[in-house]
Short mmCIF file of all heavy atoms in Angstrom, two decimals:
data_model
loop_
_atom_site.label_atom_id
_atom_site.label_comp_id
_atom_site.label_asym_id
_atom_site.label_seq_id
_atom_site.Cartn_x
_atom_site.Cartn_y
_atom_site.Cartn_z
N VAL A 1 291.63 104.74 127.58
CA VAL A 1 292.29 104.11 128.72
C VAL A 1 291.51 104.40 130.00
O VAL A 1 291.26 103.51 130.83
CB VAL A 1 293.74 104.63 128.84
CG1 VAL A 1 294.37 104.22 130.16
CG2 VAL A 1 294.57 104.13 127.66
N TYR A 2 291.11 105.65 130.16
CA TYR A 2 290.35 106.08 131.33
C TYR A 2 289.04 105.29 131.46
O TYR A 2 288.70 104.79 132.54
CB TYR A 2 290.07 107.57 131.20
CG TYR A 2 289.11 108.17 132.18
CD1 TYR A 2 289.45 108.34 133.51
CD2 TYR A 2 287.85 108.62 131.76
CE1 TYR A 2 288.57 108.90 134.41
CE2 TYR A 2 286.97 109.19 132.64
CZ TYR A 2 287.33 109.33 133.97
OH TYR A 2 286.44 109.89 134.85
N GLU A 3 288.31 105.14 130.36
CA GLU A 3 287.04 104.41 130.38
C GLU A 3 287.25 102.93 130.67
O GLU A 3 286.45 102.31 131.38
CB GLU A 3 286.31 104.61 129.05
CG GLU A 3 285.78 106.02 128.86
CD GLU A 3 285.38 106.31 127.42
OE1 GLU A 3 285.93 105.68 126.48
OE2 GLU A 3 284.52 107.19 127.23
N ASN A 4 288.33 102.36 130.11
CA ASN A 4 288.63 100.96 130.39
C ASN A 4 288.90 100.74 131.87
O ASN A 4 288.43 99.76 132.46
CB ASN A 4 289.84 100.50 129.57
CG ASN A 4 289.44 99.91 128.23
OD1 ASN A 4 289.07 98.74 128.15
ND2 ASN A 4 289.50 100.72 127.18
N LEU A 5 289.65 101.64 132.48
CA LEU A 5 289.92 101.51 133.91
C LEU A 5 288.64 101.62 134.73
O LEU A 5 288.39 100.82 135.64
CB LEU A 5 290.93 102.57 134.35
CG LEU A 5 292.36 102.40 133.84
CD1 LEU A 5 293.21 103.61 134.21
CD2 LEU A 5 292.99 101.13 134.39
N LEU A 6 287.81 102.60 134.40
CA LEU A 6 286.57 102.79 135.15
C LEU A 6 285.68 101.55 135.09
O LEU A 6 285.04 101.18 136.09
CB LEU A 6 285.81 103.99 134.60
CG LEU A 6 286.32 105.38 134.99
CD1 LEU A 6 285.47 106.45 134.31
CD2 LEU A 6 286.28 105.57 136.50
N LEU A 7 285.63 100.92 133.93
CA LEU A 7 284.75 99.77 133.75
C LEU A 7 285.09 98.62 134.69
O LEU A 7 284.21 97.85 135.07
CB LEU A 7 284.81 99.27 132.31
CG LEU A 7 283.94 100.00 131.30
CD1 LEU A 7 284.24 99.50 129.89
CD2 LEU A 7 282.46 99.79 131.62
N PHE A 8 286.36 98.51 135.07
CA PHE A 8 286.77 97.37 135.87
C PHE A 8 286.83 97.69 137.36
O PHE A 8 287.30 96.86 138.14
CB PHE A 8 288.10 96.84 135.36
CG PHE A 8 287.98 96.15 134.04
CD1 PHE A 8 288.35 96.79 132.86
CD2 PHE A 8 287.47 94.87 133.95
CE1 PHE A 8 288.23 96.16 131.64
CE2 PHE A 8 287.34 94.23 132.73
CZ PHE A 8 287.72 94.88 131.57
N GLY A 9 286.36 98.85 137.76
CA GLY A 9 286.27 99.16 139.18
C GLY A 9 285.24 98.28 139.87
O GLY A 9 284.25 97.87 139.26
N ASP A 10 285.47 97.98 141.13
CA ASP A 10 284.52 97.16 141.87
C ASP A 10 283.35 98.01 142.39
O ASP A 10 283.42 99.22 142.44
CB ASP A 10 285.22 96.47 143.06
CG ASP A 10 285.84 97.46 144.03
OD1 ASP A 10 286.26 98.55 143.58
OD2 ASP A 10 285.89 97.16 145.23
N ARG A 11 282.27 97.34 142.73
CA ARG A 11 281.07 97.98 143.29
C ARG A 11 280.58 99.14 142.42
O ARG A 11 280.40 100.25 142.87
CB ARG A 11 281.31 98.45 144.73
CG ARG A 11 281.59 97.31 145.69
CD ARG A 11 281.66 97.75 147.12
NE ARG A 11 282.78 98.61 147.41
CZ ARG A 11 282.68 99.89 147.75
NH1 ARG A 11 281.51 100.48 147.84
NH2 ARG A 11 283.77 100.60 148.01
N GLN A 12 280.33 98.84 141.15
CA GLN A 12 279.86 99.85 140.21
C GLN A 12 278.40 100.23 140.52
O GLN A 12 277.53 99.37 140.51
CB GLN A 12 279.94 99.31 138.78
CG GLN A 12 281.33 99.06 138.27
CD GLN A 12 281.98 100.32 137.71
OE1 GLN A 12 281.39 101.39 137.73
NE2 GLN A 12 283.20 100.19 137.23
N PRO A 13 278.10 101.50 140.78
CA PRO A 13 276.71 101.87 141.09
C PRO A 13 275.77 101.73 139.90
O PRO A 13 274.57 101.53 140.07
CB PRO A 13 276.82 103.33 141.53
CG PRO A 13 278.08 103.83 140.90
CD PRO A 13 279.01 102.65 140.88
N GLY A 14 276.30 101.79 138.68
CA GLY A 14 275.44 101.71 137.51
C GLY A 14 275.07 100.29 137.10
O GLY A 14 274.34 100.10 136.12
N GLU A 15 275.55 99.28 137.85
CA GLU A 15 275.23 97.91 137.49
C GLU A 15 273.78 97.55 137.82
O GLU A 15 273.26 96.57 137.32
CB GLU A 15 276.19 96.95 138.21
CG GLU A 15 277.61 97.01 137.66
CD GLU A 15 278.56 96.08 138.38
OE1 GLU A 15 278.15 95.53 139.43
OE2 GLU A 15 279.69 95.91 137.90
N ARG A 16 273.15 98.34 138.66
CA ARG A 16 271.74 98.12 138.99
C ARG A 16 270.92 99.26 138.38
O ARG A 16 271.27 100.44 138.52
CB ARG A 16 271.54 98.07 140.50
CG ARG A 16 272.32 96.93 141.15
CD ARG A 16 272.30 97.00 142.66
NE ARG A 16 270.95 96.93 143.18
CZ ARG A 16 270.66 97.01 144.49
NH1 ARG A 16 271.64 97.20 145.36
NH2 ARG A 16 269.41 96.94 144.90
N ALA A 17 269.85 98.90 137.70
CA ALA A 17 269.06 99.89 136.97
C ALA A 17 268.54 100.99 137.89
O ALA A 17 268.56 102.18 137.54
CB ALA A 17 267.89 99.21 136.26
N SER A 18 268.10 100.62 139.08
CA SER A 18 267.54 101.62 140.00
C SER A 18 268.58 102.65 140.39
O SER A 18 268.32 103.86 140.40
CB SER A 18 266.99 100.93 141.26
OG SER A 18 268.01 100.18 141.91
N ALA A 19 269.81 102.20 140.69
CA ALA A 19 270.87 103.13 141.09
C ALA A 19 271.28 104.02 139.92
O ALA A 19 271.56 105.21 140.09
CB ALA A 19 272.08 102.35 141.61
N ALA A 20 271.31 103.43 138.71
CA ALA A 20 271.70 104.20 137.53
C ALA A 20 270.68 105.29 137.22
O ALA A 20 271.04 106.39 136.79
CB ALA A 20 271.86 103.27 136.34
N LEU A 21 269.41 105.01 137.45
CA LEU A 21 268.35 105.97 137.12
C LEU A 21 268.16 107.01 138.22
O LEU A 21 267.96 108.20 137.94
CB LEU A 21 267.03 105.23 136.88
CG LEU A 21 266.98 104.36 135.61
CD1 LEU A 21 265.70 103.53 135.60
CD2 LEU A 21 267.07 105.23 134.36
N MET A 22 268.25 106.59 139.46
CA MET A 22 267.96 107.49 140.59
C MET A 22 269.12 108.44 140.87
O MET A 22 268.92 109.55 141.35
CB MET A 22 267.66 106.67 141.85
CG MET A 22 266.41 105.81 141.74
SD MET A 22 264.92 106.80 141.50
CE MET A 22 264.82 107.67 143.06
N ARG A 23 270.35 107.98 140.56
CA ARG A 23 271.54 108.83 140.78
C ARG A 23 271.58 109.33 142.22
O ARG A 23 271.66 110.54 142.49
CB ARG A 23 271.55 110.01 139.80
CG ARG A 23 271.45 109.61 138.35
CD ARG A 23 272.76 109.06 137.83
NE ARG A 23 273.76 110.11 137.72
CZ ARG A 23 275.04 109.88 137.50
NH1 ARG A 23 275.48 108.65 137.41
NH2 ARG A 23 275.89 110.88 137.38
N SER A 24 271.51 108.40 143.15
CA SER A 24 271.51 108.75 144.56
C SER A 24 272.84 109.36 144.99
O SER A 24 273.85 109.27 144.27
CB SER A 24 271.23 107.51 145.41
OG SER A 24 272.31 106.60 145.29
N THR A 25 272.84 109.94 146.17
CA THR A 25 274.07 110.53 146.70
C THR A 25 275.16 109.46 146.84
O THR A 25 276.32 109.70 146.53
CB THR A 25 273.81 111.18 148.05
OG1 THR A 25 272.82 112.21 147.90
CG2 THR A 25 275.07 111.78 148.63
N ALA A 26 274.76 108.28 147.30
CA ALA A 26 275.72 107.19 147.48
C ALA A 26 276.31 106.76 146.13
O ALA A 26 277.51 106.49 146.02
CB ALA A 26 275.05 106.00 148.16
#
């Protein structure tokens, strides 16, 4: 349930490869 909710959050940082790999503070 928790993972399903997380998946549908808006403005997901992991949707872009660079953000997912760099793991920036933002």
Side-chain angles (χ1 to χ4, degrees):
V1 169
Y2 170 71
E3 290 165 333
N4 269 279
L5 290 173
L6 283 178
L7 277 173
F8 289 102
D10 60 328
R11 296 187 294 113
Q12 294 276 2
E15 289 179 350
R16 299 171 60 182
S18 58
L21 292 172
M22 296 298 294
R23 305 284 289 169
S24 66
T25 301

